[in-house]
């Protein structure tokens, strides 16, 4: 079998641009994967490997330790998930793979992706273990047995210390978003967890960036790792970057002006501080935008609700700090706005890489004050070509109120614990209630709640009919989730 790898060696990072280095054959079929897995990949619409998958899967499936670096949204999850699933023995009821993630949201996303990818095989149990939930139910789930555990380092460590998690049968350890875990101060916890894993195992480390701490981690816990690094190279045609010079006191108003001029359906606005997040949120709401903020002070439940509403298109603008937004997988993002240019070029490239995914074009706007010009010089150097300067005076606010988001979120009080599944909710809305499939958007089921996005035009009607009807033969309580601007 021919390898599609960019030349990777043990000591020097292999580099491959998004469209260079990697051979043209990106078919999953050339990998040693079970036929059922290949069929499932087809059904999921995974027709070709992404570059990071093409570079890492052959090595990971061959059992090598890996340090893999590629930007957010490049498909890293499947790169490790397919590998750990391939080694799994479904008939053995023991934890065979452990994935460490920095936050609960990311753990949930990863667990979901693993479950999707495991659909081809019989009954693989994937369990998430994160802080913010009570220990007891997690302990009883563990007693029932799980094949794969996905969790945050602190909570996994708690379970190890209480003896409720046994890693004796583990054969794969994954450190996902390793850079972010280090940022969050998890180094020592990761050390404890890694030491509790059997020595004979495969360790896969995935990261969007490559700070110093990663090398330290990998020296300690990886065995002759192969290093794969896909340079950040966004196709110029997909992300249209524009820079605007602003006076300090114009900055927030300029964000509103950009939104009114370009009218993107979904925008992620990056602020450098929490205070700036708060100020921007206030201004946008005053201007009639449906906007939400994501920052470190939110409780877990509030964070969940913000993310769900943004991802299902019932919120137009998400205002966030880098730390709060890193690693989140949001598709269909039309624009990214750098409310302040970040001093870190790598962070800049990472921020704008959120838009222009797969086959959609995206905007990336940056607001720059006089004192931040040096930062832009660095970005320009990194890009290797001149950047486009534009003037705020070119922008024209469309008249009237800003476009409302296309969807509205309904919150059903009841979730997995009540055995509610997405299909039940879809059935209730398209069955007796008489709505069409096109009017229903994403449905997210959590342990205790269900969020369903419906077209704005049917929101009240859908709320009324769901409240009057039943799901799984039971009455449910339903609310309209609306922020203060709505
Ligand atoms: P990362 O971890 O690198 O940020 P993810 O693993 O979250 O990226 O993947 C980003 C998105 O791409 C997900 O929605 C995932 O379902 C999708 N994806 C991953 N691999 C493929 C593929 N080979 N073909 C199509 N879509 C894919
Ligand atoms: Mg990821």
């Amino acid at each position: 079998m021919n390898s599609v790898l960019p030349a990777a060696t043990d000591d020097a990072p292999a580099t491959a641009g998004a469209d260079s280095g990697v051979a043209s054959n990106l078919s999953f079929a050339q990998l040693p994967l079970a036929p059922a897995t290949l069929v499932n990949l087809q059904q999921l619409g995974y027709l070709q490997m992404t570059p990071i998958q093409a570079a890492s899967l052959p090595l990971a499936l061959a059992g090598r330790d890996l340090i893999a670096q590629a930007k957010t949204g490049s498909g890293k999850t499947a790169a490790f998930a397919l590998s750990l699933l391939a080694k799994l023995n479904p008939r053995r009821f023991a934890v065979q793979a452990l994935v460490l993630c920095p936050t609960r949201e990311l753990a949930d996303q990863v667990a979901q992706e693993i479950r999707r990818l495991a659909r081809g095989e019989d009954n693989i149990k994937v369990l998430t273990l994160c802080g913010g939930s009570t220990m007891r139910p997690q302990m009883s789930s563990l007693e029932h047995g799980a094949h794969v555990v996905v969790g945050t380092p602190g909570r996994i460590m708690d379970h190890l210390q209480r003896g409720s998690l046994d890693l004796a049968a583990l054969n794969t350890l994954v450190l996902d978003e390793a850079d972010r875990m280090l940022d969050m101060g998890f180094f020592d916890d990761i050390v404890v967890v890694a030491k509790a894993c059997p020595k004979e195992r495969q360790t896969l480390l995935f990261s969007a960036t490559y700070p110093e701490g990663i090398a330290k981690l990998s020296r300690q816990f990886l065995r002759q790792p192969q290093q794969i690094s896909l340079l950040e190279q966004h196709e110029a045609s997909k992300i249209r970057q524009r820079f605007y010079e602003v006076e300090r006191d114009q900055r927030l108003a300029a964000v509103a002006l950009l939104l009114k001029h370009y009218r993107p359906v979904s925008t992620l606005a990056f602020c450098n501080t929490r205070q700036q997040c708060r100020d921007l949120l206030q201004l946008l709401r005053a201007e009639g935008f449906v906007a939400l903020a994501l920052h470190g002070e939110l409780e877990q439940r509030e964070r969940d609700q913000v993310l769900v509403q943004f991802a299902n298109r019932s919120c137009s603008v998400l205002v966030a700090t880098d730390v709060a937004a890193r690693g989140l997988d949001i598709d269909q993002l039309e624009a990214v706005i750098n409310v302040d240019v970040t001093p870190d070029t790598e962070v800049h490239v990472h921020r704008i890489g959120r838009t222009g995914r797969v086959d959609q074009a995206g905007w990336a706007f940056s607001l720059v004050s006089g004192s931040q010009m040096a930062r832009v010089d660095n970005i320009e150097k990194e890009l290797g070509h001149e950047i486009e300067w534009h003037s705020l005076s070119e922008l024209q606010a469309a008249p009237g109120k800003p476009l409302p988001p296309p969807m509205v979120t309904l919150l059903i009080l009841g979730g997995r614990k009540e055995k509610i599944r997405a299909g039940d909710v879809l059935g209730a809305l398209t069955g007796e209630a008489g709505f069409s499939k096109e009017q229903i958007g994403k449905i997210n089921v959590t342990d205790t709640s269900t969020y369903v996005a419906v077209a704005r035009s049917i929101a009240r009607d859908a709320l009324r009919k769901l409240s009057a009807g039943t799901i799984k033969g039971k009455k449910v309580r339903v609310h309209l989730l609306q922020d203060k601007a709505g």
Side-chain angles (χ1 to χ4, degrees), residues 135-260:
M135 287 291 275
R136 274 259 144 247
Q138 294 185 347
M139 292 165 82
S140 71
S141 300
L142 277 167
E143 277 166 22
H144 284 96
H147 297 100
V148 181
V149 166
V150 183
T152 47
R155 180 54 63 100
I156 299 290
M157 200 176 66
D158 285 352
H159 279 288
L160 287 171
Q161 281 162 355
R162 287 177 191 225
S164 43
L165 175 63
D166 179 4
L167 297 178
L170 179 131
N171 54 38
T172 316
L173 171 66
V174 179
L175 309 178
D176 190 24
E177 306 264 354
D179 50 352
R180 173 90 194 276
M181 289 201 283
L182 295 179
D183 278 357
M184 294 175 67
F186 280 139
F187 189 92
D188 294 339
D189 292 1
I190 294 173
V191 170
V192 172
V193 175
K195 284 194 172 144
C197 296
K199 279 217 161 56
E200 278 300 315
R201 62 153 199 272
Q202 182 181 25
T203 309
L204 305 172
L205 184 154
F206 283 78
S207 194
T209 61
Y210 195 87
E212 168 52 30
I214 301 274
K216 195 171 150 204
L217 254 188
S218 57
R219 273 197 303 276
Q220 246 178 303
F221 297 111
L222 275 64
R223 293 195 308 186
Q224 300 179 328
Q226 293 264 342
Q227 193 168 330
I228 297 163
S229 171
L230 293 200
L231 278 192
E232 304 253 343
Q233 253 179 30
H234 307 304
E235 288 165 59
S237 60
K238 269 169 57 185
I239 301 175
R240 289 167 292 185
Q241 256 205 100
R242 297 191 163 177
F243 289 77
Y244 293 84
E245 187 170 354
V246 292
E247 301 294 331
R248 276 178 60 103
D249 56 350
Q250 288 181 310
R251 200 184 281 284
L252 301 187
V255 175
L257 185 56
L258 281 167
L259 292 170
K260 287 178 180 171

Side-chain angles (χ1 to χ4, degrees), residues 75-90:
K76 294 191 289 296
T77 316
F80 61 76
L82 287 171
S83 167
L84 69 85
L85 287 170
K87 275 195 292 182
L88 213 76
N89 177 356

Side-chain angles (χ1 to χ4, degrees), residues 366-396:
S366 300
L367 301 175
V368 191
S369 58
S371 63
Q372 296 174 333
M373 287 301 169
R375 298 179 181 180
V376 179
D377 289 344
N378 289 335
I379 291 170
E380 198 160 24
K381 268 191 221 122
E382 176 80 22
L383 287 174
H385 60 80
E386 271 189 33
I387 58 161
E388 261 185 66
W389 281 102
H390 285 258
S391 160
L392 287 179
S393 64
E394 294 164 15
L395 302 178
Q396 273 186 331

Side-chain angles (χ1 to χ4, degrees), residues 45 47 235 237-239 331-333 355-362:
L47 305 179
E235 288 165 59
S237 60
K238 269 169 57 185
I239 301 175
D331 17 284
Q332 294 190 295
L333 192 58
T355 185
R357 294 260 183 97
V358 201
D359 41 33
Q360 299 157 20

